[in-house]
Amino acid sequence: RCRLTNVPEIEDVRVMAQTLTELGVVVDHPGPNVYEVAAGDVDWLFVPLEAAARMRASFMLLGPLLTRFGRVIISNPGGDRIGRRPVNLHVEAMRALGAQIEYRNGYYFAVAPGRLRGADIAFPFVSVMGTENAILAATLAEGRTTIRPAAQEPEVDDLIDFLVSMGAAVRRTDPETIEVEGRKRLRGAEHAVIPDRIEAGTFIVAAAVTGGQVTLENAPCQHLGSFVECMTRAGVGVTCRIDTIEVDGRALHESGFRACDVETAPYPGLATDLQPPTSVLLTQADGVSHIHEAIFEDRLEWLGEVARMGGDVALDDAHHATIRGRTPLRGAEVGIGDLRAGASLILAALAAEGTTTIHGAHHVQRGYENIDGKFLG
């Protein structure tokens, strides 16, 4: 039995818990932000279309089920509509470990004759979920697996820490290389999930665009280096303490924010998930800012909703946008297309004059715990 604490009360976690339960996993939720999981009686190796349609992370079950049971049928995943997000990297990683995988009628049929075998997994580019799925599969594979280039995100290292506490042999040998020595079995463990750096960044921007002074508790400033640097360049006062972040957004009403150019990149670069809230901030900065979304195509399309609120934004192409500030935002009726865009439209609404009606709140509930209550509190 594994006990996980500091687990966010969000829809994606609930969907994953339900999916695991359907597989035969015992999932208990004894209290807020605590889950206990026992996977000894898994008896169903089919991840249905319903789970995949609701949450892209359902595909993370490919590696664990395949390495433990030697077979799995898993649906092609859904998730946010932010451009093409193919799962071929995951599939090729499993094939490198010895799996045989066929795609038919919307499902991947995967089998591993005997145990998976350790291998060198070479990704064509950095993938967080691809790295994590490869790690999970390699923990029970026979022999050593090397993964490169491995994602450097803090969430990957948090997964590694959890697996090591379960008896796995996983280590990051250099920033872009992870090595896994397969074990025959793992054991239960207790683990506290790291704080959510994307949620923290969202609330930093919220304080800034409303001209407020806010202290974020249990906030992971050490995981927000590039973002904090970006905020500082824009004139937002961000002070990092041991376990808190203090935000001073009074520059909005005094000297004003400064325009700056932003480019997303894999960690330790600016997270693509923090690009939408940063874009809201830049509508309130003096001058012209340029956004280069280097990770996902179509992730900038949501800026059309900001334009409906009065933002002077222009899409140059699928990966580039120009924002001219400072423009007053006004209330409007807008719609949410994905998780981070939804949270960012809330930030725009907070900065706008008048009332904004935002449709599609379920997208935000997928990744933010009680976001309305936190703002009201």
Side-chain angles (χ1 to χ4, degrees):
R1 176 175 289 262
C2 291
R3 178 181 171 87
L4 301 172
T5 59
N6 201 39
V7 181
E9 299 287 348
I10 58 177
E11 186 63 19
D12 273 9
V13 170
R14 285 188 283 270
V15 171
M16 181 61 85
Q18 179 183 347
T19 302
L20 291 174
T21 299
E22 292 171 355
L23 297 177
V25 178
V26 176
V27 181
D28 294 324
H29 190 23
N33 307 111
V34 178
Y35 278 82
E36 295 181 350
V37 182
D41 296 324
V42 174
D43 58 2
W44 184 247
L45 305 178
F46 175 77
V47 181
L49 178 63
E50 293 77 10
R54 296 177 66 186
M55 185 180 62
R56 179 176 174 79
S58 64
F59 210 71
M60 291 297 299
L61 294 172
L62 173 65
L65 291 174
L66 186 57
T67 197
R68 178 174 168 187
F69 297 102
R71 60 188 178 92
V72 62
I73 302 172
I74 188 166
S75 175
N76 203 26
D80 284 335
R81 300 190 302 273
I82 51 176
R84 291 174 296 184
R85 305 174 71 184
V87 296
N88 61 296
L89 296 182
H90 305 244
V91 173
E92 293 305 318
M94 299 306 122
R95 285 175 173 158
L97 293 169
Q100 299 171 2
I101 303 178
E102 295 183 3
Y103 183 68
R104 302 194 304 270
N105 302 318
Y107 287 91
Y108 289 92
F109 294 78
V111 295
R115 292 174 64 188
L116 291 178
R117 301 181 304 275
D120 289 336
I121 297 175
F123 288 119
F125 52 85
V126 174
S127 167
V128 175
M129 285 181 58
T131 297
E132 292 174 332
N133 227 342
I135 292 171
L136 291 166
T139 55
L140 295 180
E142 183 178 359
R144 175 171 297 182
T145 298
T146 302
I147 304 165
R148 61 169 71 89
Q152 301 178 51
E153 274 70 6
E155 294 78 17
V156 176
D157 287 332
D158 194 44
L159 173 62
I160 291 174
D161 290 343
F162 176 45
L163 290 170
V164 169
S165 70
M166 296 174 68
V170 187
R171 64 192 182 107
R172 188 183 291 276
T173 55
D174 68 48
E176 292 191 346
T177 304
I178 292 173
E179 293 185 357
V180 185
E181 192 71 40
R183 295 286 189 258
K184 289 187 177 181
R185 62 182 297 120
L186 302 179
R187 59 177 179 267
E190 182 167 343
H191 182 75
V193 178
I194 59 173
D196 187 339
R197 62 193 171 103
I198 307 302
E199 183 186 33
T202 302
F203 279 96
I204 287 173
V205 173
V209 298
T210 56
Q213 293 176 273
V214 174
T215 298
L216 306 180
E217 298 178 349
N218 193 28
C221 202
Q222 68 275 22
H223 298 158
L224 286 166
S226 295
F227 176 72
V228 170
E229 179 185 350
C230 176
M231 292 295 102
T232 301
R233 284 192 286 122
V236 180
V238 181
T239 303
C240 293
R241 307 296 184 189
I242 294 176
D243 57 357
T244 61
I245 300 176
E246 296 175 2
V247 188
D248 187 348
R250 288 178 295 179
L252 175 65
H253 303 300
E254 297 174 357
S255 59
F257 297 133
R258 298 183 293 270
C260 60
D261 294 342
V262 172
E263 180 175 359
T264 61
Y267 193 88
L270 180 69
T272 179
D273 284 347
L274 288 174
Q275 173 266 112
T278 301
S279 296
V280 173
L281 175 78
L282 294 177
T283 67
Q284 303 306 298
D286 295 321
V288 179
S289 301
H290 298 94
I291 305 292
H292 178 196
E293 172 51 60
I295 307 299
F296 294 124
E297 62 181 9
D298 300 335
R299 185 154 220 176
L300 295 170
E301 287 187 353
W302 79 280
L303 287 172
E305 300 301 287
V306 178
R308 292 167 61 87
M309 300 178 67
D312 188 347
V313 299
L315 295 184
D316 305 320
D317 57 43
H319 290 279
H320 298 84
T322 300
I323 300 177
R324 292 177 172 84
R326 175 178 182 185
T327 57
L329 300 179
R330 58 182 181 271
E333 192 161 329
V334 295
I336 297 172
D338 67 80
L339 167 59
R340 304 305 174 185
S344 300
L345 285 173
I346 294 175
L347 303 185
L350 289 171
E353 180 180 353
T355 300
T356 300
T357 301
I358 306 173
H359 298 279
H362 63 280
H363 287 289
V364 180
Q365 293 163 352
R366 285 186 45 231
Y368 289 86
E369 176 184 323
N370 190 30
I371 189 169
D372 49 344
K374 290 177 179 177
F375 280 127
L376 291 170

